[in-house]
Amino acid sequence: MNKVIWDLARKARLAKSDRELAFALVNDTIVLTPYRQAALWLKNDGVWTLSGVVQVDANVPYTHWLDQVGVFLNAKGRQESFAFSAVDLPPHLAVEWQSWWPEHGLWLGSSQKVKGAAVFLREEAWQPGDIAQLNEWLEIWWHAFSGLYSERLVKLRGLPERIKNWLGPIEGRAWWKQKRFQILLVTSIVLMFPVRMTVLAPGELVPANPVVIRAPLDGVIDVFHVQPNQQVAADQVLFSFDELVIQSKIKVASQALVTAKTDYRQTSQLALFENKSKTQLGLVVGKVEERRAEIEALQEQLSRARVAAPKAGVILMDDPSEWIGKPVAIGERILRIASLDDVEVEAWVPLADAINLKPGDAVTLYLSASPLSPVAASVRYMSHDAVQRADGNFAYRIRAKLEEPTKHRVGLKGTAKVHGAWVPFAFWMMRRPIATIRAYVGW
């Protein structure tokens, strides 16, 4: 081996990347033998490097033509080294030879794992001594390039053939030891492996059995004695209605009762002497009783003007200032009271994710405020009909009871993971795609 090849081999060993090594091949080989142009063509990536060019433009006509020439010569010579000219190419490629290349070309194929060839062009014919020196240098270069080369994913032209070779039959090996049979077996096992059918849905911690406090009478709320999320005791006053209207009605009714009693006394005295007054006595007595009943009803309303908590718990409501001074009708919901330990999970499953659920199926709630402390629950019931939510979408309501008490407060939201029945992994993976396809094709 002469000193020039030694120097080139040293450069190859010192190269930091496959691009640097390829640049040295097409540009520095000229110290070994003269040429005008050089190119590196790889089977899986096409034109890789050109002499005198820092970066190859894959969209220019020359690159397209050179790539087609490389494909043709690779199919013809593969790993061999041979000289060629325009007469060795098909007519549609030979017609452009004069536009791009000098008269004589040399193809130096690879014998390493990276398949391709180095192409050198010049005006003079290639001599056996030149070809021998280039072959010696290319064997060193291809060995170094195979160690540095990392295949790009930009071009996948060789991917089908690589897969075919990898999965192809191996002579002398039993059918059950063939790689494609083993891959098919492993794939079948994975696709049939049982997994839990799961869906994700918006979830929230809600009171399981809250006490709803409604307006006991028609009126205007005067003052609130509690605040949201406040703990209250049983019989503690929650809010009060404006009592002035009721008290004024009681005064009017009391005065009417006094008048009715006076009429009763006068009528009862006249009844001793007049038959007409006797017949009116029953009517006057009825008016007295009517006034008394009216006063009793108003006094009962007055006693209900202050609403107390029927049991201890936490107040669940919005801003109480929005209720003060607002007229409410009897039966209108004002607030709720929930026990601290009476909490469950509420989830809303979208129509597209509705799966078969039964009581006892597992539900895991991952709260946005505490994602590392999930809440475990089990399905209590799933609504039969979809309900329209505030955002306009329809969903099925799920209520799930907690497996154990939680320290998280009512009202915290997050994502609920609902676990359904066991199904094959293939069904779990293809359920949504199949449903989407059926929605469009109707099959």
Side-chain angles (χ1 to χ4, degrees), residues 219-225 239-244 305-306 320-321 323-328:
V220 177
I221 296 179
D222 183 36
V223 61
F224 258 92
H225 304 285
F239 57 91
S240 302
F241 283 84
D242 188 357
E243 300 178 0
L244 293 178
R306 294 190 175 187
S321 61
W323 290 96
I324 297 176
K326 177 182 177 181
V328 296

Side-chain angles (χ1 to χ4, degrees), residues 95-279:
V95 71
E96 297 188 42
W97 180 291
Q98 297 291 337
S99 301
W100 307 115
W101 279 353
E103 185 176 354
H104 299 281
L106 179 64
W107 175 274
L108 300 173
S110 167
S111 60
Q112 303 292 327
K113 63 179 181 180
V114 181
K115 302 304 178 184
V119 183
F120 295 93
L121 294 308
R122 70 183 187 183
E123 289 78 3
E124 300 83 9
W126 292 97
Q127 303 301 320
D130 296 334
I131 298 176
Q133 290 190 89
L134 288 173
N135 275 328
E136 187 69 23
W137 156 231
L138 262 296
E139 286 184 6
I140 299 172
W141 186 90
W142 279 114
H143 184 271
F145 186 75
S146 299
L148 291 176
Y149 172 73
S150 58
E151 190 170 358
R152 274 59 172 177
L153 296 179
V154 177
K155 294 184 178 180
L156 299 178
R157 176 173 52 193
L159 182 61
E161 184 175 350
R162 294 198 301 273
I163 294 176
K164 181 180 179 181
N165 295 334
W166 188 63
L167 296 178
I170 302 176
E171 296 182 1
R173 181 177 293 184
W175 63 271
W176 65 86
K177 294 183 179 180
Q178 297 289 340
K179 190 173 296 183
R180 55 184 175 182
F181 171 77
Q182 295 173 350
I183 293 177
L184 179 61
L185 179 62
V186 172
T187 303
S188 300
I189 293 175
V190 171
L191 292 178
M192 296 305 296
F193 191 81
V195 295
R196 291 290 295 269
M197 176 64 71
T198 59
V199 295
L200 298 178
E204 180 183 359
L205 284 177
V206 297
N209 300 289
V211 176
V212 180
I213 306 300
R214 302 182 182 276
L217 49 87
D218 296 332
V220 177
I221 296 179
D222 183 36
V223 61
F224 258 92
H225 304 285
V226 294
Q227 295 297 321
N229 299 326
Q230 177 182 338
Q231 296 187 22
V232 296
D235 299 327
Q236 180 177 343
V237 178
L238 303 176
F239 57 91
S240 302
F241 283 84
D242 188 357
E243 300 178 0
L244 293 178
V245 177
I246 301 177
Q247 289 176 352
S248 62
K249 289 182 179 180
I250 291 177
K251 290 181 180 179
V252 173
S254 299
Q255 188 62 41
L257 177 61
V258 172
T259 302
K261 287 182 178 180
T262 302
D263 291 341
Y264 170 73
R265 286 195 298 270
Q266 292 177 354
T267 304
S268 60
Q269 290 176 358
L270 292 175
L272 297 174
F273 305 101
E274 298 178 0
N275 292 331
K276 182 179 179 181
S277 298
K278 288 182 180 181
T279 58

Side-chain angles (χ1 to χ4, degrees), residues 386-405:
V387 180
Q388 188 175 13
R389 304 191 64 198
D391 58 2
N393 296 322
F394 284 83
Y396 294 95
R397 185 203 305 267
I398 291 180
R399 283 296 185 100
K401 58 183 179 181
L402 302 186
E403 297 293 339
E404 57 184 18

Side-chain angles (χ1 to χ4, degrees), residues 65 147 364 407 415 427 437:
W65 179 80
T364 305
K407 297 181 180 179
T415 301
F427 179 80
I437 293 174

